[in-house]
Amino acid sequence: MKFLPAALIATVLLPAIASTTSSDAVPAPSAIFGYRDPFAEAAIESRFMAVPDAKLAEDHLRTLTKAPHMAGTAEDKATADYVAQKFRDAGLDTEIFEYKVWINYPAEISVDMTAPAGVEMHGPTREHVDNDPFQDDPRVVMPFNSMSPSGDVEADIVYANYGTPEDFEKLNKLKVDVRGKIVLVRYGHNFRGVKVFVAQEHGAAGVIIYSDPADDGWPRGDEYPDGPWRPDTGVQRGSVGYMFEFAGDPTTPGTASVPSLPDSKRISPQQSAQMPTIPVTPLSYHDVWPMLQHLEGPDSPREWQGALPFTYHVGPGPARVKMHLKQDYQFRTVWDVVGRVRGSRLPDEWVVAGNHRDAWVYGAVDPNSGTAAMLEAVHGVGELLKSSWKPKRTMVFCSWDGEEEGLMGSTEWVEQHESDLVRSPAYFNMDVAVSGPKFGASAVPSLKQFVRDVTKSVPSPKGGTVYEAWQKSSQAETSEGGDARSLPMASADADVPVGDLGSGSDYTAFLQHLGVPASDISSTGPYGVYHSVFDNFAWFKKYGDPDFLYEQQMARVFGLEVLRMADANVLPYDYETYGKEVATYLDAARTRANDKFGHGAVDFRTVDAAARRFQSAGAKVLAKQRKPPSDPTRLNQALIAAERALLEPKGLPHRPWYRHTVYAPGEYTGYAAVVIPGVNEALDKGDSDRVRQQLAVLAAALDRAARTLEGYR
């Protein structure tokens, strides 16, 4: 490759960036992995990064959040039209895709305490604080859980902490039976749908999920509006659909839910593995307070104690509750907005980037901070198009709908375009783009260094580069203990940690169903108003990003990911790192297997050999990427095919929609990734025969991927 001195490239790159940010300009790279001519790419990046504008991002967010816009509503359609117009203004070939999906709105939701005598609680209490300008809009949907069935249940309460399998095991040890009871669990540690799934497995009659102030309320800092944390009436809405079974419309697993799809091609909602069978609804800690206060039975394990000012007990009773849920289920239309820039040389290779647009209420942080940043990234691409620039590969920008209900819009679009995405080099996701100043990312191992490299070229509002700010915050997190859930399961180097992809956002169908390499980026901070009415423009302007400089930063990072992948001479994957991380996953699985079944009871030799072969093939192809041939077509084809080779056509045991042998959302985590899921979930079950069978499946996948990389000579 041709390497040019940083000072020479900086003469092109720095002036434009410096003119649009208050932070110090950053030096341009002397080399960009995948490019023969870094000078030409730096010139393009310079012009792009001069465009994303903090003030325009603020205007976008104000417009997108002026009304509640839950998926399928008229207000949601208005946001689709707004995004479509901005795409067209930038010169993108834009289309709105409609899908007919099975979702519910709440018709009647009530929760009443019926015992002990003299204690009154009628919920859900309307969310309210002093001086919030958005909370009283009549279009604000009452707190509810999407995908809950209707139902009337009256039963004693049992408190089950976070509702994990381990929490239910502790209840068993305490001789507390949840059968026929209403289980009270708090948000956190796992996906809300998993809480319901585990409660259902244990025979519960219903579930109430609440936000304990210990997790996102006043113990963390001042409550909104005096601070960024959840006030006492704040409620987290959200889907409880079993997305760990499959994503998208509950009635069409593996099939696009287009409006013309005949009913004969759908399964009934009652037969869908995605639908819970017991009623569930969310409440605020304001409403749950008297329930917990009047529970008796054993003291809860001390690690279960939340922040309310009394000792938590597990019950059952004497606190008794009646739940009345009437859900309005219908097939409703959702709208994806998709804008394309056709590639000049490789139009069939789609570099896809997306953010969802629908929100439970206003969604200033989740998701429209991402929508506003994406629109400014598209704005930058539009300015490049005006100069007659065209990308080598086709760029596809997507504004997804129905994400909150179960990744509806992205999944249905992926299922509709499966054949078009066979040659897609990457999907770049940005969901909650900004809730504060701390940058973070997750990705498949082959893209982890790519994400780091992109951040080295983007200025941070703190000064220096995004990468440098990321390093500092990662070091601080490590020294303070940090949040282990945000870290990767393995790290092949000592660089800033890039997490693993589980589920809970729109990369799911791309990576785990089709095998398209993916990443997800965000910039986070104190954020206690998730999925509540208070996630609105007033909160964002005061606490999220008052000057919208992090919006500008995220627009640049997101857009630069797309630009670099679309124009690369050689695709910038790193399969050597991938192989190293898989080897680490296998080491951990071997230790678990030895602990469960005895040392050497499960033979790992075949899969270890396959992992070594994959790593070796990755190292050899990486050397060729650094010194590519004049025509890299066959090399790039092998690189694209390698991730797909890690798919198992039959899918994971009991959930065939998920095909990836290395990454999947966990059955009992939901959002968090389970690595080598077939093997680890067999270990969870203590099933040695299944462990052996899944090790063979994994070995075959690793051999396929290695053979794919070795096939390039």
Side-chain angles (χ1 to χ4, degrees):
M1 291 186 179
K2 181 180 178 183
F3 298 108
L4 296 175
L8 182 57
I9 300 178
T11 62
V12 176
L13 182 61
L14 298 189
I17 300 176
S19 67
T20 57
T21 182
S22 59
S23 58
D24 294 334
V26 301
S30 59
I32 302 174
F33 183 43
Y35 283 82
R36 293 193 187 89
D37 186 353
F39 179 81
E41 175 61 16
I44 293 168
E45 293 180 7
S46 168
R47 288 155 51 202
F48 165 77
M49 286 201 288
V51 177
D53 184 274
K55 182 64 174 67
L56 290 177
E58 181 174 359
D59 292 343
H60 295 316
L61 191 66
R62 183 182 290 106
T63 299
L64 290 162
T65 60
K66 67 182 179 182
H69 53 284
M70 193 165 57
T73 62
E75 293 80 9
D76 176 42
K77 178 58 164 61
T79 64
D81 292 337
Y82 177 82
V83 169
Q85 188 57 55
K86 295 301 178 184
F87 279 8
R88 293 184 183 112
D89 290 347
L92 275 60
D93 180 10
T94 301
E95 184 176 0
I96 295 180
F97 289 85
E98 294 187 356
Y99 299 102
K100 189 173 76 171
V101 297
W102 183 252
I103 56 177
N104 60 304
Y105 295 162
E108 298 173 10
I109 306 288
S110 64
V111 181
D112 294 275
M113 284 190 71
T114 58
V119 178
E120 293 187 4
M121 190 287 292
H122 175 73
T125 299
R126 187 174 183 87
E127 294 173 293
H128 185 81
V129 297
D130 293 334
N131 302 317
D132 180 84
F134 296 97
Q135 61 192 357
D136 295 324
D137 190 306
R139 294 168 293 186
V140 171
V141 69
M142 72 178 74
F144 82 110
N145 283 130
S146 174
M147 299 301 158
S148 167
S150 299
D152 288 280
V153 178
E154 184 175 357
D156 287 348
I157 290 283
V158 171
Y159 172 59
N161 195 32
Y162 291 109
T164 67
E166 294 77 17
D167 291 334
F168 280 90
E169 287 174 12
K170 286 189 177 180
L171 287 175
N172 288 335
K173 290 178 181 177
L174 291 169
K175 302 188 184 306
V176 174
D177 189 353
V178 304
R179 287 178 295 179
K181 307 299 191 297
I182 292 174
V183 173
L184 176 65
V185 295
R186 54 174 165 160
Y187 276 113
H189 286 267
N190 58 2
F191 167 55
R192 68 186 75 80
V194 170
K195 302 174 191 293
V196 180
F197 180 70
V198 180
Q200 180 179 299
E201 283 188 320
H202 284 78
V207 177
I208 293 170
I209 314 178
Y210 81 103
S211 296
D212 197 284
D215 298 305
D216 62 5
W218 54 264
R220 307 292 298 275
D222 286 333
E223 297 178 2
Y224 181 72
D226 298 318
W229 295 102
R230 191 178 300 272
D232 61 354
T233 59
V235 184
Q236 182 188 143
R237 298 153 180 80
S239 175
V240 293
Y242 297 162
M243 286 182 280
F244 45 85
E245 297 286 353
F246 63 91
D249 172 52
T251 71
T252 59
T255 301
S257 189
V258 295
S260 60
L261 188 71
D263 290 345
S264 62
K265 298 292 186 181
R266 297 178 182 269
I267 60 175
S268 73
Q270 293 74 26
Q271 294 175 319
S272 176
Q274 201 188 95
M275 302 295 288
T277 61
I278 58 176
V280 54
T281 203
L283 289 176
S284 65
Y285 74 80
H286 171 277
D287 286 343
V288 165
W289 190 310
M291 297 181 196
L292 280 169
Q293 193 169 21
H294 290 89
L295 271 182
E296 296 180 3
D299 289 0
S300 69
R302 287 301 75 207
E303 67 272 17
W304 289 22
Q305 177 70 38
L308 298 181
F310 46 78
T311 297
Y312 289 21
H313 294 257
V314 297
R320 189 173 179 85
V321 166
K322 180 178 181 180
M323 298 171 62
H324 168 67
L325 308 183
K326 184 178 179 181
Q327 309 286 4
D328 175 15
Y329 272 99
Q330 295 180 31
F331 284 107
R332 292 182 162 94
T333 299
V334 294
W335 303 273
D336 287 348
V337 184
V338 177
R340 293 183 177 87
V341 180
R342 182 175 172 82
S344 60
R345 300 184 190 176
L346 299 164
D348 293 335
E349 294 186 10
W350 293 6
V351 177
V352 188
N355 156 265
H356 80 94
R357 191 188 64 255
D358 64 293
W360 287 114
V361 191
Y362 297 100
V365 171
D366 179 14
N368 294 128
S369 66
T371 310
M374 180 172 68
L375 289 177
E376 279 308 288
V378 169
H379 179 198
V381 170
E383 291 302 306
L384 293 179
L385 292 173
K386 290 178 181 177
S387 67
S388 300
W389 168 89
K390 293 289 184 184
K392 292 184 178 72
R393 297 174 178 85
T394 294
M395 300 164 67
V396 185
F397 288 94
C398 304
S399 175
W400 308 119
D401 202 357
E403 189 269 0
E404 296 291 6
E405 282 71 13
L407 316 181
M408 301 284 184
S410 59
T411 299
E412 301 312 313
W413 188 85
V414 165
E415 291 173 343
Q416 184 179 3
H417 294 86
E418 183 167 349
S419 61
D420 298 312
L421 293 166
V422 169
R423 292 171 295 280
S424 175
Y427 172 70
F428 299 118
N429 194 63
M430 182 168 56
D431 188 338
V432 179
V434 180
S435 61
K438 182 182 175 184
F439 183 83
S442 298
V444 292
S446 56
L447 288 179
K448 290 185 177 183
Q449 190 57 45
F450 171 79
V451 175
R452 295 183 187 114
D453 288 345
V454 166
T455 63
K456 292 174 182 177
S457 293
V458 178
S460 168
K462 296 180 179 179
T465 65
V466 173
Y467 176 79
E468 290 165 343
W470 187 7
Q471 277 186 313
K472 291 176 183 176
S473 64
S474 297
Q475 290 164 357
E477 183 179 76
T478 301
S479 66
E480 294 167 5
D483 182 355
R485 289 169 292 161
S486 68
L487 299 176
M489 295 297 293
S491 183
D493 51 46
D495 210 330
V496 291
V498 180
D500 300 319
L501 293 170
S503 187
S505 196
D506 292 303
Y507 53 76
T508 296
F510 287 91
L511 174 62
Q512 292 150 354
H513 189 61
L514 292 194
V516 177
S519 73
D520 187 40
I521 58 172
S522 62
S523 185
T524 62
Y527 173 48
V529 296
Y530 176 66
H531 285 191
S532 76
V533 71
F534 308 117
D535 184 359
N536 57 40
F537 188 83
W539 184 96
F540 192 89
K541 181 69 175 171
K542 191 171 184 181
Y543 300 112
D545 187 13
D547 298 317
F548 285 75
L549 294 177
Y550 289 95
E551 282 287 298
Q552 182 185 51
Q553 167 193 289
M554 297 306 289
R556 287 169 167 168
V557 174
F558 188 63
L560 199 54
E561 285 184 302
V562 180
L563 284 171
R564 284 201 179 170
M565 188 63 69
D567 268 353
N569 302 113
V570 175
L571 293 170
Y573 303 145
D574 177 1
Y575 281 109
E576 182 180 21
T577 293
Y578 213 139
K580 290 178 180 178
E581 295 204 2
V582 170
T584 306
Y585 303 156
L586 286 170
D587 288 342
R590 183 184 300 102
T591 299
R592 292 187 67 202
N594 289 340
D595 290 344
K596 279 185 176 286
F597 309 122
H599 186 79
V602 177
D603 189 348
F604 276 71
R605 286 176 295 179
T606 300
V607 75
D608 285 341
R612 287 194 299 271
R613 180 184 177 188
F614 179 46
Q615 181 180 332
S616 175
K620 290 175 181 176
V621 84
L622 188 61
K624 293 173 182 176
Q625 289 168 264
R626 290 177 174 140
K627 296 181 180 179
S630 56
D631 181 0
T633 301
R634 289 183 58 250
L635 175 58
N636 284 333
Q637 288 172 345
L639 290 166
I640 289 174
E643 187 83 47
R644 274 69 163 182
L646 294 170
L647 300 181
E648 165 53 44
K650 294 180 181 178
L652 297 179
H654 313 303
R655 42 186 188 145
W657 188 87
Y658 287 99
R659 301 171 179 168
H660 208 288
T661 59
V662 182
Y663 296 104
E667 285 183 286
Y668 292 101
T669 60
Y671 283 161
V674 169
V675 298
I676 53 173
V679 175
N680 275 313
E681 289 178 348
L683 286 166
D684 291 340
K685 298 291 186 183
D687 186 339
S688 59
D689 289 339
R690 184 170 147 190
V691 171
R692 294 184 185 95
Q693 186 267 337
Q694 287 299 303
L695 285 171
V697 169
L698 177 60
L702 293 169
D703 276 330
R704 284 195 304 272
R707 190 162 54 249
T708 300
L709 295 173
E710 291 164 352
Y712 173 74
R713 292 286 184 265

